[in-house]
Amino acid sequence: MGERTETEIGEIGVVIVTWNGKKHLERMLPSIFAQKLHAPMTVVIIDNGSRDGTVAWLSSSYPMVHAVALTENRGFAGPNNIGFSYLLKNPDIKYIACINNDTVLPEDFFLRLISFAEKMGENAGRVGALQTKIVSFDDPTVVDSVGITIDPGMSAINEGQGEKDQGQFEAAKEIFGATASAVIYTREALDAVFLNHGAYFDADFFAYQEDVDLAFRLRLLGFSAWYVPGPPVLHVHSATGRSYSPFKSYHIHRNTLYMIVKNMPGFLLITGLASFIAKYGALIGSLRKERGPSYELSKKTGLPGMAGIVLKAWAVFLLHLPALLSKRRRIQKLRTCETHQVKKWFAEFRADRSKIIYGASDRPADKKI
């Protein structure tokens, strides 16, 4: 695979959001600047009010980076939008990467993914997003993601998460959407979704599921997402937002409801809400079997704490329902996909329900119950 020239691919933009993540950036930024693809690159780092000296360190160690210092933690979605808006003012930027601060990129990351997109042309519709294999930083034999999978209740999980890498992901393929830990979006896709939604990521999400929401909206506009095999990205999973935390659980719960109302066309809105509610029964079952994310959360919060998370998520969801319905009208008016096409996505890119309920590596099939 030959390298693309600067004139063929234009410039590249990179957005990194960080919060007290200097120790991660010290490991991650060298992998950004060691990329094989010799094209002009603009790196924007949005700092969420860190108190670990991140901004001062960037100024002295990486003066070529455009750092934006926020005074408070605004989550993941909104700060990324700031970076996207800044980069897209440059008409020469054709690709924008959204990269977590707790990753390390292989040196051919941009070359491999962008070369794949350039060769795709119009063969599979408009390419909107690309990702490669993402693996655990602590154990690179364990897969973190090869793309997003989704179920009819809009619950999502990364394909391959928790699996041993045994060469099962060595072929390029279309995926539902790309994981925002390390993704490259095309300018065409981001421009289109902004016109449709008035934003890139939905800032109301704050954190979690915003990449699933964006993936869905890109698909509604006719864009595809692709997995490209090769050397993986290393990722410290949930380095900023702790696994099984009440904060994370609340935002995932609430944001899933947001996605259903905004994005599900036609009758799928009703079936999506029904599927979401029906999942409570399975989650209660996982508590009884002492398996899965809900059980791990219950050990931290107790059952009253879990009930409080659910009630708060529904209360905030209902409070924001008028705004969500306004977004829905805009999204549904401009979508290019018919309802029957959307329904097929839930079959073609369907999430493993057992993984959602019991966790990526803690399923009944793997352990005696």
Side-chain angles (χ1 to χ4, degrees):
M1 183 182 293
E3 291 191 16
R4 296 278 170 171
T5 67
E6 294 178 13
T7 55
E8 287 177 301
I9 66 166
E11 297 186 28
I12 299 169
V14 180
V15 182
I16 304 162
V17 173
T18 189
W19 179 60
N20 293 328
K22 177 174 170 283
K23 64 181 180 180
H24 297 304
L25 291 171
E26 289 174 337
R27 183 174 56 208
M28 179 265 206
L29 283 176
S31 74
I32 291 285
F33 291 105
Q35 289 296 302
K36 285 183 175 180
L37 187 57
H38 303 298
M41 179 185 295
T42 301
V43 179
V44 179
I45 296 184
I46 314 295
D47 183 80
N48 268 328
S50 296
R51 297 182 180 180
D52 62 352
T54 293
V55 176
W57 172 77
L58 286 171
S59 178
S60 61
S61 301
Y62 288 93
M64 74 290 284
V65 167
H66 179 74
V68 178
L70 304 179
T71 58
E72 60 183 353
N73 186 354
R74 300 187 192 175
F76 183 83
N80 266 296
N81 288 346
I82 293 173
F84 291 160
S85 296
Y86 175 83
L87 290 168
L88 289 172
K89 291 177 182 176
N90 180 351
D92 293 326
I93 287 181
K94 187 176 177 183
Y95 295 95
I96 290 184
C98 174
I99 310 293
N100 275 16
N101 66 353
D102 56 2
T103 60
V104 177
L105 304 184
E107 62 181 5
D108 70 338
F109 179 79
F110 287 105
L111 171 63
R112 180 158 35 98
L113 271 62
I114 291 175
S115 294
F116 180 89
E118 295 287 312
K119 288 184 176 181
M120 283 291 292
E122 299 297 325
N123 291 339
R126 296 176 294 173
V127 176
L130 306 110
Q131 80 160 82
T132 192
K133 186 189 302 174
I134 303 173
V135 300
S136 168
F137 181 87
D138 296 320
D139 184 356
T141 68
V142 176
V143 176
D144 185 54
S145 174
V146 296
I148 295 169
T149 59
I150 194 165
D151 80 353
M154 289 292 276
S155 291
I157 192 168
N158 291 331
E159 182 179 359
Q161 185 175 328
E163 295 182 20
K164 278 289 184 180
D165 186 2
Q166 298 176 325
Q168 67 271 46
F169 302 116
E170 297 307 311
K173 63 177 182 177
E174 187 175 2
I175 54 179
F176 176 79
T179 309
S181 303
V183 54
I184 296 178
Y185 294 111
T186 63
R187 182 191 189 97
E188 182 186 7
L190 291 176
D191 283 343
V193 83
F194 185 86
L195 289 173
N196 174 253
H197 194 269
Y200 307 105
F201 289 124
D202 188 332
D204 288 341
F205 280 47
F206 189 79
Y208 303 110
Q209 303 294 84
E210 62 282 296
D211 53 352
V212 183
D213 175 66
L214 179 55
F216 205 107
R217 288 186 282 118
L218 287 175
R219 282 199 159 272
L220 288 174
L221 292 173
F223 288 95
S224 59
W226 292 84
Y227 165 74
V228 184
V233 171
L234 303 178
H235 181 216
V236 183
H237 192 71
S238 291
T240 301
R242 299 298 181 186
S243 295
Y244 314 124
S245 73
F247 174 88
K248 183 175 181 178
S249 299
Y250 160 73
H251 280 86
I252 289 177
H253 203 95
R254 184 201 67 180
N255 293 348
T256 301
L257 287 166
Y258 282 7
M259 287 192 294
I260 293 172
V261 170
K262 285 171 48 184
N263 300 329
M264 288 288 217
F267 70 91
L268 292 179
L269 170 61
I270 304 303
T271 59
L273 285 171
S275 179
F276 180 89
I277 293 170
K279 204 170 297 166
Y280 286 130
L283 291 172
I284 291 171
S286 74
L287 290 174
R288 292 172 177 169
K289 295 176 181 178
E290 300 185 350
R291 294 287 186 271
S294 293
Y295 173 66
E296 295 299 327
L297 177 64
S298 72
K299 291 192 292 186
K300 293 184 177 182
T301 67
L303 294 180
M306 292 185 67
I309 290 171
V310 172
L311 291 173
K312 180 182 177 182
W314 275 95
V316 175
F317 161 68
L318 292 172
L319 182 66
H320 285 84
L321 189 57
L324 291 167
L325 291 173
S326 178
K327 292 178 182 180
R328 173 183 177 79
R329 285 190 290 271
R330 185 169 181 176
I331 291 169
Q332 299 304 321
K333 180 180 179 180
L334 297 176
R335 66 182 168 91
T336 63
C337 293
E338 299 296 329
T339 302
H340 69 88
Q341 294 174 294
V342 176
K343 188 176 180 181
K344 289 181 180 178
W345 300 342
F346 295 111
E348 186 175 358
F349 306 109
R350 194 179 189 95
D352 184 331
R353 181 179 176 86
S354 184
K355 280 190 175 184
I356 292 173
I357 301 299
Y358 293 102
S361 58
D362 196 18
R363 302 163 62 194
D366 302 326
K367 294 188 175 185
K368 293 181 179 179
I369 304 300

